[in-house]
Amino acid sequence: MPSPKNAMEIFQYLDKSNCRECGHKTCLAFAGAVFTGQRKISDCPKLPKHIIRRFSVKEAGNIIEQNRDEYLADLKKEISRIDLAEAAKRIEARFADNKLTLKVLGKDFSVDTNGQLYTDIHVNPWVAVPFLNYVLHGKGLPVSGNWKSFRELTEGKARYPLFQKRCEAVIKRVADTYTELFDDMVHLFNGRKVAEQFESDISVVLHPLPRLPLMVCYWLPEDGLDSSLNLFFDETADRNLDIGSIFSLGAGLAQMLTKLAQRHGYTPDP
Ligand code: SF4
């Protein structure tokens, strides 16, 4: 079987019972995670082995790159089928003129009842996908103030190696070379420097989504040890957003910060 062209091609083979045994709330969400390379089709225990064998799913990173735009189109269609005003109440977003609006990194980000996106910032698919999943499935739980690493979140452990490679390692390389990075996070992305956490040298809290704060902690090189950088999430994060979307937010942030540094003439070490 050739690689699927969109999440719906995977969805058609699933049980469609939304039983949640795979850790996703719906079979469609699971199909999206398979399509973007964050889950394997074999992670659905209800799928017959002959179907699993027919899928030739490629390595995760390639699929993410190739298919994210198609997945975004599927999510937009899903938005057009829900009651957006009710969704706005659930996640405490604004709703006016048929548009749901909330803040992404301090800037207004909206979607209308047809799934059309509006924002003052460049629409990065890495951010648009989590935004739409937050609108579709977010519980709107209040932030607890207790931080967890990505690997401590539900389903985070298995995905952490890829998260470390695509998010934390990338942002660390930027931070190592672009010294204004943390000031830019504050001024451009409405971040907030907080007292050093986990004995880090710099800690900045960002809000890629209103109830999904993300804390970047950076440790400077010391005594022959290399610098290090980790991202932390509120302990409610995995209930306010699916783990694939949390992954995507981290990857999107890494991409945005890399471009920002490059615009200022800095070239992060490979
Ligand atoms: S385990 Fe399979 S059938 Fe159950 S929700 Fe996940 S994808 Fe759907």
Side-chain angles (χ1 to χ4, degrees):
M1 176 186 285
S3 293
K5 293 190 186 62
N6 54 50
M8 293 310 285
E9 283 191 17
I10 298 168
F11 177 68
Q12 66 179 318
Y13 292 101
L14 299 177
D15 184 73
K16 303 182 187 65
S17 61
N18 299 332
C19 72
R20 300 186 175 203
E21 282 183 41
C22 58
H24 289 268
K25 289 176 189 159
T26 62
C27 295
L28 187 59
F30 175 78
V34 173
F35 184 63
T36 52
Q38 293 154 28
R39 298 299 302 271
K40 291 186 185 139
I41 189 99
S42 56
D43 291 341
C44 168
K46 302 213 162 173
L47 212 53
K49 288 205 169 36
H50 73 276
I51 297 287
I52 293 172
R53 280 196 295 271
R54 285 171 63 191
F55 271 84
S56 58
V57 178
K58 292 181 188 163
E59 204 266 325
N62 292 338
I63 292 207
I64 291 170
E65 298 294 344
Q66 288 164 13
N67 297 335
R68 63 188 178 190
D69 291 345
E70 288 92 336
Y71 180 43
L72 186 57
D74 287 342
L75 289 175
K76 288 178 177 178
K77 272 187 215 150
E78 213 182 323
I79 286 278
S80 70
R81 293 195 281 262
I82 67 164
D83 183 336
L84 205 54
E86 279 302 313
K89 279 187 207 154
R90 170 171 37 84
I91 57 173
E92 293 199 351
R94 282 178 281 139
F95 186 77
D97 301 327
N98 284 331
K99 276 188 202 163
L100 178 153
T101 302
L102 47 79
K103 296 278 186 197
V104 171
L105 294 171
K107 308 278 192 312
D108 278 353
F109 208 109
S110 306
V111 61
D112 69 16
T113 47
N114 294 317
Q116 182 73 34
L117 293 169
Y118 305 84
T119 175
D120 294 338
I121 54 178
H122 173 65
V123 179
N124 177 336
W126 289 98
V127 177
V129 165
F131 169 82
L132 292 175
N133 271 327
Y134 186 79
V135 172
L136 286 164
H137 307 296
K139 286 207 174 112
L141 294 176
V143 171
S144 73
N146 298 322
W147 296 104
K148 275 188 171 179
S149 65
F150 184 87
R151 89 182 89 190
E152 291 174 292
L153 298 176
T154 306
E155 303 274 321
K157 197 171 173 190
R159 298 161 198 232
Y160 182 68
L162 194 56
F163 181 81
Q164 203 283 331
K165 184 174 160 196
R166 289 195 158 234
C167 310
E168 293 179 333
V170 173
I171 300 174
K172 179 188 117 51
R173 285 200 294 275
V174 176
D176 286 345
T177 50
Y178 181 52
T179 50
E180 291 99 58
L181 176 69
F182 294 100
D183 286 337
D184 280 356
M185 281 186 189
V186 171
H187 296 123
L188 301 178
F189 300 130
N190 214 30
R192 182 169 51 92
K193 278 195 178 161
V194 293
E196 291 78 15
Q197 304 278 321
F198 306 114
E199 300 185 359
S200 64
D201 293 298
I202 303 171
S203 305
V204 173
V205 172
L206 298 167
H207 281 83
L209 288 163
R211 295 202 166 173
L212 214 106
L214 174 162
M215 181 166 67
V216 186
C217 291
Y218 183 65
W219 292 262
L220 291 160
E222 191 180 18
D223 296 335
L225 293 173
D226 194 8
S227 63
S228 58
L229 184 145
N230 288 112
L231 302 189
F232 294 89
F233 299 87
D234 192 78
E235 68 179 359
T236 56
D238 49 11
R239 283 171 283 154
N240 277 330
L241 193 64
D242 64 282
I243 194 78
S245 291
I246 296 172
F247 176 100
S248 193
L249 276 180
L253 185 66
Q255 192 182 70
M256 286 163 74
L257 296 176
T258 302
K259 284 194 175 153
L260 178 71
Q262 287 167 343
R263 274 207 301 276
H264 288 81
Y266 290 82
T267 311
D269 295 333

